[in-house]
Amino acid sequence: SVGLVFQSLTPSQKYSQRGSKGEVVVTFGAVQGARWTGRKDPGVGVQVNLLEGPEDSLRSSYKYMFQRLRDVRNVLTEKIEELGESLRSQFNIEEFSVISLPAQDSVTVLGQVCCDSNGKLNAQSVLLEAGQEQGGQQVPVDLSELKEYSLFPGQVVVMDGMNTTGKKLVASKLYEGCPLPFYNTTVNMETDEAAEPLSVLVACGPYTPSDSLTFDPLIDLINVIVRDRPDVCLLLGPFVDSKHQQIEKAQVTETFETIFSRCIESIVDGTRSVGCHLVFVPSQRDIHHDFIYPQPPFILPNLSKDQAQRVTLVPDPCTLLIDRVTFGLTSTDILFHMGAEEISCGTSSDRFSRILNHMLTQRSYYPLYPPTEEVNMDYEKFQIFGQMLLTPDVLVVPSELRYFVKDVVGCVCVNPGRLTKGQVGGTYSRLLIRRSATSEDGKRASPCLTAQVVKI
């Protein structure tokens, strides 16, 4: 058990009285007989690296709020052209028509979905904005002839349709993009197939109840880590939550940095006996950290050398390579933000799967444009650090929305939920991972053997 003292008058009654502790609320994959413990020496020999390498990843703070509209426009134009080129080659399209020119025959146009006002997108307010090469204009879109669609602001799409006046496109076909390939690695049949699975724990803040600044949920999580001995723990912010009642009311008597340092030290010290690898991902709700997306990693100057070896500090978002399995991570609630803006008709899939599919086909950790007001986006950095380099084997997307584990086009997508939900306890997730060979029919087999979402 780990002692962790924080300044607060009373612990949370509601959290301490919660029922169904440890209850498994979601299962995925072959769970029968699964051993939810790490290898004999957790963390030993486990390689945790940023996929793009340290020199090409976001490593330090940067100046922001200096964006020019022209630079934002250039980033969006490049995104339209890049995704347009992949759609053109995928569907063998000869060329795209200029969106605002009248035509008697059906035309194929490329553009970005946007709304005709500052309100929420709906079927009557859809505009398609062309890239610079196609004239750059906006044209209203009539969706009535499409049997099914799923659209959101910022989505790059290709549409077939009639545009006899040059002032309105009556869409007849919508082209969906395809995700990037997965990470390609050679599998040693003898050693890899026989290796013990890698145990990965995933948790997302807040780590305190909303009515108290005692970190009881975090202590309980550390006890779970000590019990289950996972090889890797992916811990996503917020660690010091800007939306906490006592922080919003200025009832805190210490600096935010002091609270954060003590929180991280308790995690590092509390898991010392396990030796597991710890990965810390910041959140824009971390009140002591840079309020910008993409967000640089935390800085922990006080870590001792032996402890620093098992700690990896990463930006939000990032793509991690853990024992040759790729993990896409973002602490920003893209599911909630896109769920509020997406419109759909006639689709058989559920909303979560549609949004996740959009992320993978738009190849971006935050494809929504304009972003939600609470996301402070730097588009030049976003172009470099906010895009997917490949389709991750596992995509971690924590959200206020309901927890889940889903397979979307071969990518295992996990919303572990939050460790606390208001005054009550929340959930975390755990996965067993093993890099496996392709199956007999030549198809890729997911390295995620099984996964669960568990109540704290």
Side-chain angles (χ1 to χ4, degrees), residues 74-85:
N74 289 343
V75 170
L76 296 173
T77 298
E78 283 182 39
K79 180 184 78 166
I80 293 171
E81 288 170 2
E82 193 177 308
L83 284 171
E85 185 53 40

Side-chain angles (χ1 to χ4, degrees), residues 106-107 113 123 126 128 141-151 155 157-162 169-176 343-347:
S106 179
V107 293
V113 173
V126 175
L128 196 63
V141 179
D142 181 343
L143 302 173
S144 58
E145 289 189 18
L146 287 177
K147 286 192 175 66
E148 63 175 72
Y149 59 81
S150 169
L151 301 171
Q155 180 182 7
V157 294
V158 170
M159 290 180 176
D160 284 348
M162 297 298 291
L169 177 73
V170 181
S172 56
K173 185 173 181 183
L174 183 67
Y175 293 91
E176 284 282 336
I343 59 169
S344 67
C345 170
T347 58

Side-chain angles (χ1 to χ4, degrees), residues 159-352:
M159 290 180 176
D160 284 348
M162 297 298 291
N163 189 9
T164 51
T165 62
K167 291 187 168 61
K168 188 165 205 173
L169 177 73
V170 181
S172 56
K173 185 173 181 183
L174 183 67
Y175 293 91
E176 284 282 336
C178 64
L180 290 161
F182 289 94
Y183 182 72
N184 195 6
T185 180
T186 52
V187 175
N188 186 320
M189 293 292 286
E190 289 181 15
T191 57
D192 288 7
E193 293 284 314
E196 279 185 84
L198 192 76
S199 173
V200 179
L201 179 139
V202 185
C204 178
Y207 296 91
T208 61
S210 62
D211 60 343
S212 160
L213 265 176
T214 54
F215 278 65
D216 292 353
L218 180 61
I219 294 170
D220 290 337
L221 183 72
I222 293 170
N223 289 332
V224 166
I225 293 169
V226 171
R227 181 195 73 197
D228 289 352
R229 302 173 64 79
D231 298 290
V232 179
C233 298
L234 306 176
L235 303 175
L236 299 94
F239 294 90
V240 187
D241 187 8
S242 60
K243 294 185 177 181
H244 193 283
Q245 287 175 15
Q246 285 168 293
I247 288 175
E248 285 187 328
K249 293 175 183 173
Q251 295 172 340
V252 184
T253 56
E254 291 180 291
T255 66
F256 302 131
E257 286 79 4
T258 303
I259 299 175
F260 172 70
S261 295
R262 206 174 320 148
C263 172
I264 296 298
E265 281 168 20
S266 70
I267 298 171
V268 174
D269 291 344
T271 58
R272 187 193 298 261
S273 63
V274 180
C276 57
H277 206 102
L278 302 169
V279 178
F280 293 109
V281 187
S283 160
Q284 289 195 57
R285 281 169 56 180
D286 274 307
I287 193 164
H288 66 292
H289 198 47
D290 296 322
F291 180 63
I292 187 67
Y293 188 94
Q295 192 175 28
F298 290 132
I299 297 168
L300 298 175
N302 300 329
L303 276 186
S304 62
K305 254 195 174 161
D306 61 322
Q307 296 296 61
Q309 286 181 336
R310 63 185 190 91
V311 172
T312 302
L313 304 172
V314 299
D316 171 35
C318 68
T319 310
L320 276 182
L321 192 57
I322 303 177
D323 269 15
R324 295 176 297 150
V325 175
T326 53
F327 284 73
L329 308 176
T330 180
S331 58
T332 302
D333 197 343
I334 181 63
L335 287 175
F336 191 80
H337 299 167
M338 276 179 66
E341 298 292 340
E342 182 244 12
I343 59 169
S344 67
C345 170
T347 58
S348 54
S349 61
D350 66 281
R351 184 172 56 146
F352 291 151

Side-chain angles (χ1 to χ4, degrees), residues 329-385:
L329 308 176
T330 180
S331 58
T332 302
D333 197 343
I334 181 63
L335 287 175
F336 191 80
H337 299 167
M338 276 179 66
E341 298 292 340
E342 182 244 12
I343 59 169
S344 67
C345 170
T347 58
S348 54
S349 61
D350 66 281
R351 184 172 56 146
F352 291 151
S353 297
R354 290 197 305 270
I355 293 170
L356 293 161
N357 188 61
H358 284 316
M359 289 178 71
L360 297 170
T361 54
Q362 297 284 305
R363 306 171 178 186
S364 167
Y365 285 107
Y366 200 94
L368 187 65
Y369 178 83
T372 305
E373 284 183 3
E374 65 188 62
V375 173
N376 183 21
M377 180 76 77
D378 185 294
Y379 273 92
E380 289 183 280
K381 288 286 190 285
F382 173 69
Q383 187 176 28
I384 306 168
F385 303 117

